[in-house]
Amino acid sequence: MLGATGQIGRPAVAALARDGWRVRAASQRGRRDDAWPDGVEAVALDRDEPGALAEALGDGCDVLVDCVAYGAAHARQLAALAGTVGSAVVISSAAVYVDERGRGFDTQDEPDGLPRYPVPMSEAQPTVEPGEATYATRKVALERDLLAAADALPVTLLRAGAVHGPHSRSPRELYFVQRVLDRRPVRVLAYNGESRFHTVNAANLAELIRLAARRPGARVLNAVDPQAPTVAEIGAAVDAALGYSCETVLVDGKPPRENVGDTPWALPHPMVLDMTAAERELGYRAATGYAESMPATVEWMTRELAGRDWREAFPKMAASYGDALFDYAAEDAWLAEQRS
């Protein structure tokens, strides 16, 4: 497995090992997770070093799971392993989808760029064109090139929603967890708190990986939780896990001011994925749901935050959002204006 010590890789290694696979868990540093069974072999691997992946595979393997593949170069790297690898399971993203007018994640900063997806959305929905310009275009390039080589290397591509669970470098739930730790008495949610960006727990991705490893094929499958919680429901799940409550102010429409009411899930129209294909082709049943998985996520996150500023604990999150997530001064100023 490539990316074995990431948020998705950790539970996927454990799931495969429990299912009877002999697992080699590859990561940059070759570390082990304490939850892995003793038989898991951890190896250090830089996949971008010429020849390193082929050398690590040796005589080959039955299934290669790749949690960290992006773009055409990685697709070529994996396709070249046909004959050495029996099949592959590769993580893609729901960010590849566009609506019927070509609007998606890459167009939301443009005039009239906000997508309106069908609810729920199947794998037949159009995607962005492949390329190297953005996260979404690179994922599509990866998908198309791997599917073109699927006669030689069967591949299951999993289009993951908003991934959550322990060991995330950019946990969206930080938006609510940090507010609880700061004892904020109020929060503001745009779009009436009804935004839905379909989530997927890493344990559910691990279950999909386990099932796809058993049943090789050439396919693209959605990968999300059984529920698509609203942002208000996500906040309530975090509150319940931490035993906290606060006032929630709902805004009808987009964020009323910069850094006020915006969240990492804030979409004006729902993005909800259909899991019928995974259920039909793999016999998939979710391992967990959003609310029931939240206590473990919150417990891990609060340990990471203990005695540290959130920017230190999650530097990737800080680099992506800056101070926008917790601009309490802007929130308080706007609330004071509304209540005056």
Side-chain angles (χ1 to χ4, degrees):
M1 177 179 295
L2 300 177
T5 56
Q7 182 183 23
I8 299 169
R10 289 173 190 253
V13 167
L16 290 168
R18 288 193 301 268
D19 209 32
W21 293 91
R22 186 166 65 89
V23 182
R24 299 191 77 195
S27 61
Q28 286 276 355
R29 298 181 181 179
R31 293 178 174 174
R32 285 185 55 84
D33 186 280
D34 292 340
W36 290 346
D38 291 340
V40 173
E41 179 187 0
V43 296
L45 173 66
D46 180 355
R47 72 176 303 160
D48 294 321
E49 181 182 338
L53 178 54
E55 181 180 350
L57 287 170
D59 294 334
C61 65
D62 294 318
V63 181
L64 176 63
V65 178
D66 193 342
C67 301
V68 288
Y70 297 96
H74 284 169
R76 290 192 297 271
Q77 182 189 48
L78 295 176
L81 299 173
T84 301
V85 173
S87 66
V89 183
V90 179
I91 301 299
S92 185
S93 172
V96 302
Y97 288 121
V98 294
D99 68 9
E100 300 304 323
R101 295 177 58 184
R103 300 174 300 189
F105 277 69
D106 292 343
T107 66
Q108 292 191 55
D109 292 332
E110 301 174 10
D112 196 31
L114 300 173
R116 286 181 177 268
Y117 301 109
V119 177
M121 183 163 52
S122 79
E123 294 84 351
Q125 185 69 15
T127 69
V128 296
E129 290 300 311
E132 293 297 313
T134 70
Y135 175 84
T137 62
R138 292 178 71 198
K139 283 294 192 182
V140 171
L142 173 78
E143 289 186 2
R144 294 196 184 178
D145 286 359
L146 284 175
L147 290 172
D151 286 344
L153 178 64
V155 60
T156 297
L157 291 146
L158 299 175
R159 287 178 177 163
V163 184
H164 63 101
H167 305 291
S168 173
R169 295 173 63 196
S170 297
R172 291 176 177 86
E173 287 73 18
L174 179 67
Y175 182 86
F176 291 114
V177 171
Q178 187 63 51
R179 279 173 159 71
V180 173
L181 296 179
D182 292 337
R183 316 312 286 179
R184 285 286 292 173
V186 63
R187 60 180 168 228
V188 182
L189 300 178
Y191 306 114
N192 280 317
E194 295 174 350
S195 292
R196 287 195 291 167
F197 177 8
H198 210 153
T199 58
V200 60
N201 188 272
N204 287 332
L205 279 171
E207 176 64 2
L208 284 161
I209 290 168
R210 183 187 73 85
L211 293 169
R214 283 184 169 190
R215 302 180 185 182
R219 57 172 82 95
V220 177
L221 298 174
N222 287 335
V224 288
D225 290 332
Q227 313 89 6
T230 66
V231 67
E233 290 168 340
I234 289 171
V238 172
D239 288 351
L242 288 168
Y244 188 74
S245 63
C246 73
E247 179 188 1
T248 299
V249 175
L250 301 178
V251 176
D252 184 13
K254 65 182 182 180
R257 184 174 299 173
E258 186 176 12
N259 300 346
V260 177
D262 204 358
T263 75
W265 305 268
L267 299 176
H269 311 297
M271 184 182 197
V272 178
L273 274 60
D274 185 357
M275 290 297 291
T276 302
E279 293 165 1
R280 180 185 65 246
E281 296 194 24
L282 300 180
Y284 170 70
R285 296 293 182 271
T288 189
Y290 190 88
E292 66 195 86
S293 70
M294 194 46 51
T297 300
V298 168
E299 181 183 2
W300 169 79
M301 200 177 305
T302 52
R303 287 200 308 269
E304 293 297 303
L305 289 165
R308 293 199 289 176
D309 183 87
W310 71 271
R311 300 170 190 82
E312 179 188 356
F314 300 108
K316 185 177 179 182
M317 194 81 166
S320 298
Y321 290 95
D323 293 328
L325 290 177
F326 309 113
D327 191 347
Y328 298 152
E331 289 180 357
D332 289 341
W334 180 81
L335 285 166
E337 292 174 7
Q338 304 310 302
R339 293 168 174 174
S340 62

